[in-house]
Amino acid sequence: MYTISEVGQMLEISTHALRYYEKEEIITPERDAQGNRRYTDSHLKWLEFVKKLRETQMPIEQIKKYTQLFKEGDHTSIDRLNLLEDHRRTIEIQIETLKTTEAMLDKKITSYKQHLSTVNLSKS
């Protein structure tokens, strides 16, 4: 079992975010006798997944929807699959956008380097 601080450090997630995820019912940590949050290895795996979804720009509302579907049980498997496939398509678009942006930047950087080498040669 881990404390909220330990989980935050291990996963590089702020304790504020962890409390927010709890408030939004994305995660439900256990509580000890004093009422302190306690996280299991299963919680950590779930939070790693949530963190990746957030890093890939999945909106909190979609994560909440996925979480709720998961809690409802196996009969929601198709809905969960569809939600994840939709998000994967979004990621594929992001990747393509990043690749084309990278190519444009590479051209621009090459252009500047060529220009600067020409300017530096003429000053010599």
Side-chain angles (χ1 to χ4, degrees):
M1 296 285 245
Y2 307 96
T3 66
I4 192 170
S5 296
E6 291 170 331
V7 171
Q9 288 176 348
M10 286 188 290
L11 300 179
E12 297 179 346
I13 299 175
S14 72
T15 55
H16 173 77
L18 292 168
R19 287 184 190 96
Y20 175 74
Y21 291 158
E22 182 179 358
K23 177 181 161 264
E24 295 298 320
E25 299 180 353
I26 292 169
I27 190 153
T28 307
E30 297 175 13
R31 299 283 181 152
D32 64 16
Q34 293 77 34
N36 297 313
R37 292 169 180 85
R38 294 289 181 236
Y39 297 84
T40 63
D41 288 332
S42 179
H43 288 122
L44 265 59
K45 287 178 186 174
W46 173 247
L47 286 166
E48 286 174 338
F49 180 61
V50 169
K51 182 179 175 184
K52 288 298 175 192
L53 294 176
R54 289 298 298 141
E55 287 174 351
T56 56
Q57 313 306 306
M58 181 182 270
I60 287 292
E61 287 305 315
Q62 289 294 92
I63 296 171
K64 285 171 59 174
K65 182 177 180 180
Y66 181 88
T67 303
Q68 185 57 42
L69 289 168
F70 179 80
K71 289 178 181 178
E72 289 176 24
D74 284 344
H75 71 279
T76 65
S77 292
I78 291 173
D79 293 331
R80 286 182 274 154
L81 174 62
N82 289 337
L83 194 147
L84 292 177
E85 286 179 335
D86 287 347
H87 186 62
R88 189 173 201 300
R89 282 189 288 280
T90 300
I91 291 171
E92 289 168 353
I93 292 167
Q94 291 173 354
I95 290 169
E96 192 55 40
T97 300
L98 288 171
K99 285 179 179 179
T100 57
T101 302
E102 180 184 37
M104 290 174 75
L105 286 171
D106 286 345
K107 286 180 183 178
K108 189 58 92 172
I109 288 168
T110 299
S111 172
Y112 275 109
K113 285 181 177 180
Q114 288 173 346
H115 171 73
L116 289 172
S117 70
T118 307
V119 170
N120 288 336
L121 287 176
S122 66
K123 288 184 179 181
S124 300

